[in-house]
Amino acid sequence: MPTIVLESEIHSDIKTCFDLARSIDMLKESLKQTKEIPIAGKTTGLISEGEWVSWEANHLGVVQHLTSKIVAFESPYYFVDEMVLGAFKSYRHEHRFKEKNGITIMTNTFHFESPLGILGRIINKLFLKRYITNLLKTRNKMLKFVAESENTLDFLQMIGKG
């Protein structure tokens, strides 16, 4: 099962980073290039334990649907979402946060398994792991930018948190 681990150093408080990471609106905004939109479940605001969201997106030229559910949650230190329905055989995305001296370390650990047996494993090695890594990096860069900007409060108010 492939695993992607990304660590981001963010010059912002842990609660802001945690809330931005679980913001449906933030995710939608950060992945505009895939036309990712929430279509069912929790479709706006901050997702919490037990809640789910279904997404529609264009990945690799194909419209796809994916539903994930928050299966573990401890604010502001971690939450975990797992795929309930979608193109993967399975996925688990762990979001962890720790703060030291006003800097938050955000760690994303993404475990996934493709369908199609050996063909899926070949696709993972050829491009899928790199593709997912780039999506996560894009999302993390935007989260870092918003969390570190002077307009963080404006963004949080815009998405209905503030």
Side-chain angles (χ1 to χ4, degrees), residues 133-148:
T133 299
N134 288 335
L135 285 176
L136 292 171
K137 284 180 178 179
T138 298
R139 180 174 183 262
N140 290 353
K141 283 179 190 173
M142 181 165 185
L143 189 150
K144 178 178 172 65
F145 174 78
V146 171
E148 292 179 347

Side-chain angles (χ1 to χ4, degrees), residues 22-132:
R22 65 191 185 103
S23 166
I24 300 293
D25 306 282
M26 177 72 185
L27 180 60
K28 179 181 168 185
E29 186 68 26
S30 68
L31 295 176
K32 273 187 170 180
Q33 77 277 11
T34 65
K35 300 178 183 133
E36 194 139 343
I37 57 168
I39 57 171
K42 181 77 171 180
T43 59
T44 190
L46 303 178
I47 197 163
S48 295
E49 186 167 21
E51 294 182 316
W52 59 275
V53 59
S54 289
W55 295 91
E56 179 178 274
N58 187 325
H59 291 288
L60 305 169
V62 178
V63 174
Q64 298 185 27
H65 294 92
L66 179 122
T67 300
S68 64
K69 181 177 181 179
I70 304 299
V71 298
F73 188 92
E74 185 181 333
S75 178
Y77 304 106
Y78 73 90
F79 68 95
V80 177
D81 59 285
E82 290 184 350
M83 186 191 80
V84 175
L85 184 67
F88 293 98
K89 186 173 180 181
S90 67
Y91 91 62
R92 178 180 173 89
H93 187 177
E94 302 168 9
H95 310 255
R96 298 193 177 276
F97 304 84
K98 58 184 172 183
E99 186 175 18
K100 186 174 182 182
N101 300 325
I103 296 173
T104 299
I105 305 300
M106 178 178 71
T107 304
N108 285 263
T109 305
F110 191 88
H111 309 276
F112 69 98
E113 189 172 0
S114 299
L116 308 175
I118 193 155
L119 180 59
R121 288 192 293 277
I122 292 168
I123 291 169
N124 290 345
K125 288 182 192 262
L126 290 178
F127 68 88
L128 190 57
K129 186 173 181 180
R130 183 174 50 245
Y131 180 79
I132 295 168

